[in-house]
Amino acid sequence: MNFSEIPKTELHLHLEGAAPPAFIRRLAQEKGVNMGGVFDENGAYVWSSFVEFLATYERACEVLKTPEDFGRLVSAVLEEQAAHGVIYTEMFLAPDFCGGGDLIAWREYLAAMSEAALASPVEARFIPTCVRHFGPEQARVSARVSAETAGGLVTGFGMGGDESQYRAADFAYAFDMAREAELGLTSHAGEVEGPQSVRETLEALKVSRIGHGVRAIEDPALVAELAERGVVLEVCPGSNIALKVYDDLKAHPISALREAGVLVTVSTDDPPYFHTDMSAEYRALNKTPGWTRADFDAINRTAMNAAFCDTETKNRLLAKFNGA
Ligand code: ADE
Ligand code: ZN
């Protein structure tokens, strides 16, 4: 099987986290910014724990300054996506890094990113995200600019960052604002924290999708509830393994969740940080029992049905997955 040729939908991709190291280095050179400590001697991003990963990520983001920088980044990331057969992608991006929550500035960033996305062969949507460890106040600022610009390519709102900080309920106001603007909702949970974090997130933030959610497997009642409610998990196996949530794919719960009737999808999260890409994710899954070409089409249909986009786009893209 040529894995890069399988058509794919990716629901969980951080724009900043997808920045190829060479892209960040080139920008740093152009601007004369010192990137010491961000890259190792082979030019890869340096980190060795979840907290360090977040810190390196934020350091790399310091070089992304102007709307033009972000437009160039969207083009580079979507080009990479297309090379791996991705036909529909939803990109998380933090307003904190795009003008710090100033609405006029945010609109300029959005215009540059939208122009780049619309010029790409990949159908893309943006999911502005708040960063959990920046706190609930800042999350409200992000939600406000997201709500103000809902429509066009902005179709969702989400939350990433350090799951061990704050409680999900602290972000309810931000998510309420986004819901009122009719944005689709998703939040990271059950990645570094356990099932209770997933429960609190569903309860307080009323999201239809959970970023990761894999640690729900530790609570069979929660797994049954996720299946019954049709909550969609944005599972990123390579990310979980790189961050040492699981030792390897054999120990990863994606297949068990799926067998329990939970709606799972497959994404890469922050591919260069985790030395992965969509083709590599599919290739690795294909080596584990129960994953065939038909299963890939099935998870892509699940992803497309859960996508934060209009029905016409959904139906057009669903037709690309066999058995639609
Ligand atoms: N931001 C980017 N990648 C993330 C991850 N895997 N978990 C939480 N926040 C993130
Ligand atoms: Zn993520």
Side-chain angles (χ1 to χ4, degrees), residues 12 14 92 188 191 212 236 269-270:
H12 189 121
H14 298 263
F92 295 135
H188 286 58
E191 177 192 21
H212 302 283
C236 309
D269 211 6
D270 308 281

Side-chain angles (χ1 to χ4, degrees), residues 14 50 53-54 57 160-162 188 191 212 239 243 269-270 274:
H14 298 263
F50 180 63
F53 153 69
L54 291 174
Y57 185 107
D162 188 347
H188 286 58
E191 177 192 21
H212 302 283
S239 159
L243 285 168
D269 211 6
D270 308 281
F274 305 140

Side-chain angles (χ1 to χ4, degrees), residues 43-244:
Y45 290 116
V46 179
W47 58 273
S48 65
S49 66
F50 180 63
V51 170
E52 257 189 44
F53 153 69
L54 291 174
T56 300
Y57 185 107
E58 282 161 30
R59 283 247 9 243
C61 284
E62 283 170 20
V63 82
L64 292 161
K65 293 212 185 296
T66 65
E68 195 212 342
D69 296 341
F70 275 87
R72 281 167 67 184
L73 178 57
V74 167
S75 300
V77 169
L78 289 178
E79 192 181 320
E80 189 67 20
Q81 295 274 94
H84 290 288
V86 175
I87 58 171
Y88 177 86
T89 194
E90 290 183 357
M91 294 171 150
F92 295 135
L93 50 110
D96 301 278
F97 303 131
C98 298
D102 177 84
L103 182 58
I104 294 171
W106 167 245
R107 284 191 197 281
E108 285 170 16
Y109 283 88
L110 213 45
M113 291 188 286
S114 299
E115 188 182 332
L118 292 170
S120 150
V122 181
E123 186 82 44
R125 298 292 182 271
F126 298 137
I127 306 185
T129 48
C130 57
V131 180
R132 189 164 179 144
H133 54 275
F134 292 174
E137 279 293 315
Q138 200 53 29
R140 283 181 211 189
V141 173
S142 295
R144 189 164 301 119
V145 298
S146 307
E148 288 286 346
T149 52
L153 297 189
V154 175
T155 56
F157 181 71
M159 176 161 67
D162 188 347
E163 193 188 344
S164 68
Q165 308 280 315
Y166 302 95
R167 309 303 294 259
D170 297 331
F171 300 92
Y173 187 95
F175 276 73
D176 286 348
M177 232 188 304
R179 188 178 313 98
E180 274 166 32
E182 298 185 2
L183 292 168
L185 301 179
T186 176
S187 175
H188 286 58
E191 177 192 21
V192 292
E193 295 293 314
Q196 188 55 22
S197 171
V198 177
R199 285 189 184 284
E200 287 180 19
T201 299
L202 288 171
E203 168 83 17
L205 307 183
K206 301 178 180 66
V207 294
S208 63
R209 299 187 342 212
I210 295 275
H212 302 283
V214 283
R215 290 195 54 197
I217 198 72
E218 296 163 31
D219 179 346
L222 177 60
V223 171
E225 190 181 330
L226 293 175
E228 193 191 307
R229 289 171 60 172
V231 175
V232 173
L233 302 188
E234 302 154 6
V235 181
C236 309
S239 159
N240 297 150
I241 293 162
L243 285 168
K244 301 193 172 60

